[in-house]
Amino acid sequence: TPTACFSLPAGHSERCMHVALAIAAASTRASVEMAPSKSPGASSDRPLPTDTYLSEYSKIFDHIGMLEDMQRMAAYHDAIKRNAAVHFKGKVVLDVGSGTGVLAIWAAQAGARRVYAVEASGVGAHIQTMVEAHGLADTVTVLRERVEQVELAEQVDVIVSEWMGYFLLRESMVESVLLARDRWLKPGGVMYPSHARLLLAPSALPRFLLRRREEIASSMHAWEQLAAELRSKYSLRLDALQAAYEREHHEYAFSEAWQGILPASLLRDEPQVLLEADMHSVTHAQFFDWQTEVQFAPPHADEPQHGLCGWFDVRFCGSESQPAHECVELDTSPEAPPTHWAQTTLLLERPLDGSPLVVALAQNSGFHHDLNVTVSSGAWSASYAVTADFRGGEDFLEDAEAEEGEEGA
C-alpha cells in the first residue's frame, strides 16, 4: 500500500508511492464492470464510457488544464468563429462531451439555431449555469447523459467535440463521437474537427534512459536491504519476490508510455504518419485495430536512439461538400507551442538501427479507455500501455538543457 512507502529510505519513498498508486489505479480499473452496454436503439455494441473514466472529468478542477491550454482554446474558437457563416448560422449543432459548455456557447454565439450540449460526467451540472450567464438559455439545450443513450428531437448539421486524448486516441472518447455521427449527423453534415493525424518520430534519450536504469538499480538495492533485514529479524524470505518486484519496476519504465513535453531538440528525424483520418467517414476499426510500417534514417553510431515520440494534429476544414471558409489547425508536436496533451514517448531497451518498424494499436481489453501500443522490428517487440498517467516532462527538459550545454561548451 502507499502507506508502506514512507518507511523506505529517502529518495525511494516517492518512487514507491508512484508505483503503488499506479498499481492501485490499475486494480480499480480491473474492478469496473466492463460488459458491453447498449442504449435503446443504439447501433453499436461498444461498451459505454465507464463511471471510472467519467470521474476523470467530474469536477470543474479537472477542466482547468484544458481551459488554460490557449492553443486548444484558440483553435476551437477560431475554427467556429471564422466559419460561422458557412457552418453555424441557422444550423443545429451537437456538442459531444460538452464539459463546461464552452464549445456549445461558442456555437450558439456563431449563430446556431439550436445547440445540444451532451455531458455525462458530474461537471455537466454546471453547463446550464454557463449557458444562462451568456444569455443563451433559449438556444442551448443541456442533456446530462451519455451520448450513446441520448434521444434528440432532430438530426444535426454539425458535431463539435474535443475528443482527443494522449497519443490522439487514449480515452476512446472518439467512439462516442463516431456513434453520434452515425446516428445524428445529417447527410453532408460537418464534423469539428474534420481531420486527424497521429505521428511518430525517433528521439535520443541517453540521460533519460540512464536515469530509469539507475532508478531500477537503486530500488532493487533498497529491496535487498529490506529483504536482508526481514530475514535477519523474522526469518522471512522476501527474496522469493525479488524477481517479480524487479519486473514491476522494469515494466513501469519500459512498458508504460511517458507523457510530457519533449523538447524538439531531442528529435532525430522527420515524423512519419501512423494514422490519418477523415472524421466524416473513419470507422472504429480504422482507429482502434491497425498496424502500419514506418522507417527512420539510421542513427549515428555515437548517438543511439532509445525513444519514439508520438503526437497528433487535427484540422477544422469542413467536409468535401461543405468546405470551411478558413481551415484551422491544432498541432501538438514538439515544434509547436506546448499544449496540455504534451507528447507520448515510448522508451526502448534496444536502440533503433534504421530497420523498418511495425507499429500496432488496440484498446486495452480490461479498460477500453486506455491503449496498448506495440512496436516490433525483426526479432524484437515491445508493448506499451498508454494511460492517464502524466510523467517524464521535467526529465525531458533537463535532458534538452544538458544537451544544449554540451553543444555550447
Side-chain angles (χ1 to χ4, degrees):
T1 65
T3 304
C5 297
F6 293 111
S7 62
L8 292 180
H12 298 286
S13 60
E14 182 178 354
R15 162 74 175 166
C16 173
M17 284 287 288
H18 204 156
V19 173
L21 290 173
I23 294 170
S27 300
T28 299
R29 291 173 184 152
S31 68
V32 175
E33 184 175 321
M34 289 304 301
S37 302
K38 296 182 180 180
S39 61
S43 60
S44 173
D45 61 356
R46 302 300 308 165
L48 293 175
T50 64
D51 291 339
T52 300
Y53 165 66
L54 293 174
S55 70
E56 294 180 18
Y57 296 102
S58 63
K59 305 295 184 183
I60 297 173
F61 173 82
D62 301 323
H63 294 255
I64 296 300
M66 292 178 282
L67 296 170
E68 290 178 335
D69 184 344
M70 292 304 156
Q71 305 307 314
R72 168 189 181 270
M73 299 293 283
Y76 275 88
H77 176 268
D78 293 351
I80 293 171
K81 181 178 180 180
R82 295 175 185 178
N83 295 290
V86 293
H87 289 155
F88 291 91
K89 188 175 182 179
K91 304 294 187 179
V92 179
V93 178
L94 171 60
D95 179 6
V96 178
S98 192
T100 53
V102 171
L103 301 187
I105 289 168
W106 286 344
Q109 291 174 337
R113 173 174 63 82
R114 170 66 55 193
V115 181
Y116 295 99
V118 179
E119 178 57 53
S121 77
V123 80
H126 303 290
I127 299 177
Q128 191 65 39
T129 302
M130 285 284 288
V131 168
E132 292 175 359
H134 290 81
L136 298 170
D138 292 337
T139 302
V140 179
T141 299
V142 180
L143 301 172
R144 292 191 57 198
E145 54 187 319
R146 292 168 171 84
V147 75
E148 290 85 352
Q149 298 170 314
V150 76
E151 291 295 335
L152 302 181
E154 57 194 320
Q155 298 292 106
V156 304
D157 301 286
V158 183
I159 292 178
V160 298
S161 181
E162 196 274 79
W163 52 264
M164 300 82 71
Y166 299 154
F167 210 62
L168 181 64
L169 296 170
R170 195 269 153 184
E171 299 183 33
S172 299
M173 181 179 167
V174 72
E175 286 188 319
S176 300
V177 175
L178 297 187
L179 184 142
R181 178 200 67 187
D182 295 343
R183 291 189 67 187
W184 300 113
L185 188 65
K186 293 178 181 178
V190 178
M191 301 290 290
Y192 268 60
S194 59
H195 298 81
R197 297 193 307 167
L198 177 62
L199 303 98
L200 192 72
S203 56
L205 303 171
R207 297 174 184 81
F208 189 84
L209 176 68
L210 178 61
R211 198 175 293 119
R212 302 289 81 80
R213 287 176 170 166
E214 288 176 343
E215 285 177 352
I216 294 174
S218 179
S219 296
M220 294 314 300
H221 178 69
W223 170 270
E224 291 168 359
Q225 290 181 318
L226 174 62
E229 182 177 3
L230 292 178
R231 184 169 186 176
S232 174
K233 290 184 176 180
Y234 307 111
S235 298
L236 285 175
R237 294 295 305 272
L238 199 64
D239 55 302
L241 301 179
Q242 180 165 330
Y245 185 64
E246 185 170 10
R247 190 161 52 249
E248 287 179 2
H249 283 275
H250 185 274
E251 290 173 354
Y252 181 80
F254 294 100
S255 297
E256 293 186 27
W258 293 86
Q259 197 72 34
I261 298 293
L262 186 95
S265 62
L266 297 179
L267 298 181
R268 291 298 181 265
D269 199 2
E270 293 299 311
Q272 300 291 313
V273 177
L274 297 179
L275 175 69
E276 190 162 11
D278 182 335
M279 294 303 298
H280 301 90
S281 58
V282 66
T283 65
H284 179 275
Q286 289 170 331
F287 265 141
F288 291 108
D289 185 17
W290 56 264
Q291 68 175 35
T292 189
E293 184 175 284
V294 295
Q295 187 167 13
F296 301 105
H300 296 294
D302 60 346
E303 187 183 49
Q305 297 172 2
H306 282 272
L308 289 168
C309 176
W311 66 87
F312 67 86
D313 56 45
V314 297
R315 285 167 288 150
F316 303 82
C317 294
S319 64
E320 185 175 347
S321 60
Q322 295 191 62
H325 173 70
E326 182 177 343
C327 278
V328 174
E329 183 180 56
L330 172 58
D331 182 6
T332 69
S333 75
E335 302 282 358
T339 70
H340 79 283
W341 288 283
Q343 290 85 39
T344 302
T345 297
L346 311 177
L347 188 60
L348 301 166
E349 286 193 272
R350 296 193 182 192
L352 299 174
D353 60 8
S355 299
L357 300 175
V358 176
V359 182
L361 181 144
Q363 290 170 301
N364 184 285
S365 60
F367 186 69
H368 76 280
H369 300 291
D370 290 346
L371 303 175
N372 291 334
V373 177
T374 302
V375 180
S376 57
S377 178
W380 66 266
S381 178
S383 295
Y384 303 86
V386 182
T387 70
D389 201 4
F390 194 92
R391 64 204 184 111
E394 292 184 2
D395 283 352
F396 293 143
L397 181 59
E398 289 179 7
D399 286 1
E401 291 174 345
E403 183 177 90
E404 291 173 1
E406 290 178 356
E407 292 176 353

